[in-house]
Amino acid sequence: MTVHSGETTARRGRPGYDRDQVLAVAVQLFNEQGYDATSVADLASRLGLTKSALYHHFSSKEELLAIALETALSGLEAVLDRALAVEAPASDRLTAVISGAVGVLTDELAPVTLLLRLRGNSAVETAALERRRVFDQQVTALVRAAQDEGRIRTDVDAGVATRLIFGMINSVVEWYRPDGRVDPDLLAQDVLRVALDGLHPREQ
Amino acid sequence: MTVHSGETTARRGRPGYDRDQVLAVAVQLFNEQGYDATSVADLASRLGLTKSALYHHFSSKEELLAIALETALSGLEAVLDRALAVEAPASDRLTAVISGAVGVLTDELAPVTLLLRLRGNSAVETAALERRRVFDQQVTALVRAAQDEGRIRTDVDAGVATRLIFGMINSVVEWYRPDGRVDPDLLAQDVLRVALDGLHPREQ
DNA sequence: GTCTATAGAATGATAGAC
DNA sequence: GTCTATCATTCTATAGAC
């Protein structure tokens, strides 16, 4: 794309941002301040760019949101699709979905955080919430199938169980940090332990 | 400062709102739009009042926030204090804290929702977050004590376990509705089942 | 008449548009 | 950079139930 050459700036020789870098900073800022509360001017200021330079990379603020949400949702949906593609008991599929979802969450922490804080204030947001709802329904169906197999207890409603499990998973965005001392793979294991076997010790 | 006691006082003056009604509508609106994004004018408009009428009931917008957060936090802290007051194994205390927290959450849904969405943008908010942090630490200590008793598995870190359990509990604000079809007492029971015994059936 | 809930107008501060 | 809209807040006064 064209370089803005008409402006005299002090950032001579400084490499510009590419699309992905702008997106990453934008999502970070959205998570810090909230999407609505973040103006394009805020983002430009954080990047050290002008607004017009930003619009070289993206056509609108909402496009940044849409791309980030696509990253989060397609990651979660891919986990579910992979689990449903293999021939296996529902309870094994459910295990794969749970640990896979934790993996997406830790790998794509910022986009998933953005997704989980949506309130449905625009068409893009409601569309994303609808995709979450479909995802939830598919997982609920999986829980119900595992109940029919006798591998998931039936004294908890499948819908409630699904919401509780994903409540546990999703809450990880509130405290997990990639540079922290919790390993993402061990975290997925811990979530499986608590969700499936519970905190009480099992006598073997 | 006075704590409302819920008695229906015959209102004097022209028909209008009392302090509790204003507070309830305010917290509702804060949860819909976000605290920062809600102006006093928005609230006045929702109530069908002028802004100055609001200031008869409350000295500031932040006071509304502070009272709501006090309701949520004192409810949670009371649950913990009651659990720690009785002489009982840590694992029984933990059970009481978990089901008690679900009870506070369903009883005081709106204030707790507001608490859980805080980002720490002001002194009032950071103070509330600090009280949450202390609460978390005390629960973590309880989990650790229950581990020492052999009643909680030790292959999951106490801090991680506490965060996962409260992630599950707190996520209830995202979908629980008082007029819905999920009974709050049964919900507390379900949370205990999933958290302590897990979704896998236990052989008796 | 007194108490409570209310309205109207105005202030200073600030964020965003231009 | 200036201008304007909007913000939270305050002061003064009124309207209605007991």
Side-chain angles (χ1 to χ4, degrees), chain A residues 142-190:
Chain A
L142 207 49
V143 170
R144 203 170 283 122
Q147 284 179 325
D148 292 342
E149 292 172 353
R151 301 287 299 279
I152 292 289
R153 60 194 300 164
T154 53
D155 57 353
V156 177
D157 174 79
V160 172
T162 303
R163 288 186 163 107
L164 292 179
I165 294 308
F166 271 85
M168 186 186 309
I169 294 171
N170 293 339
S171 72
V172 166
V173 302
E174 303 294 334
W175 57 271
Y176 173 81
R177 294 297 171 264
D179 52 355
R181 56 171 179 38
V182 172
D183 178 80
D185 292 328
L186 295 180
L187 177 59
Q189 194 176 55
D190 286 348

Side-chain angles (χ1 to χ4, degrees), chain A residues 117 119 150-153 155-156 163-165 167-168 171 175 193-202, chain B residues 117 119 150-153 155-156 163-165 167-168 171 175 190 193-202:
Chain A
R117 291 190 185 155
R119 308 296 313 155
R151 301 287 299 279
I152 292 289
R153 60 194 300 164
D155 57 353
V156 177
R163 288 186 163 107
L164 292 179
I165 294 308
M168 186 186 309
S171 72
W175 57 271
R193 281 174 171 156
V194 176
L196 299 179
D197 293 332
L199 284 174
H200 281 164
R202 297 221 170 191
Chain B
R117 291 189 184 156
R119 310 296 316 158
R151 302 287 300 278
I152 292 289
R153 60 195 301 163
D155 57 352
V156 177
R163 288 185 164 106
L164 291 180
I165 295 308
M168 187 186 309
S171 73
W175 56 270
D190 285 348
R193 283 175 171 156
V194 176
L196 299 180
D197 294 331
L199 284 174
H200 281 163
R202 298 223 169 192

Side-chain angles (χ1 to χ4, degrees), chain B residues 152-176:
Chain B
I152 292 289
R153 60 195 301 163
T154 53
D155 57 352
V156 177
D157 174 78
V160 171
T162 303
R163 288 185 164 106
L164 291 180
I165 295 308
F166 271 85
M168 187 186 309
I169 294 171
N170 293 339
S171 73
V172 166
V173 302
E174 303 293 337
W175 56 270
Y176 174 81

Side-chain angles (χ1 to χ4, degrees), chain A residues 71-81 100-101 104-105 112 115 135 166:
Chain A
T71 299
L73 284 165
S74 64
L76 290 171
E77 287 163 353
V79 163
L80 185 59
D81 291 344
V104 169
L105 201 146
V112 176
L115 173 68
F135 178 85
F166 271 85

Side-chain angles (χ1 to χ4, degrees), chain B residues 6-81:
Chain B
E7 82 255 21
T8 49
T9 48
R11 251 195 315 283
R12 300 173 59 167
R14 63 173 122 176
Y17 295 95
D18 66 15
R19 201 176 156 88
D20 283 345
Q21 290 172 314
V22 169
L23 180 63
V25 174
V27 174
Q28 167 92 20
L29 198 58
F30 292 161
N31 282 334
E32 286 175 21
Q33 305 184 344
Y35 173 75
D36 286 324
T38 302
S39 70
V40 176
D42 289 338
L43 178 55
S45 163
R46 170 68 66 101
L47 288 162
L49 296 178
T50 59
K51 288 187 287 180
S52 56
L54 276 183
Y55 280 95
H56 172 72
H57 297 284
F58 293 96
S59 65
S60 70
K61 179 184 165 186
E62 200 169 41
E63 187 188 5
L64 288 161
L65 176 65
I67 293 176
L69 296 180
E70 179 61 35
T71 301
L73 284 165
S74 65
L76 290 172
E77 287 163 354
V79 163
L80 185 59
D81 291 345

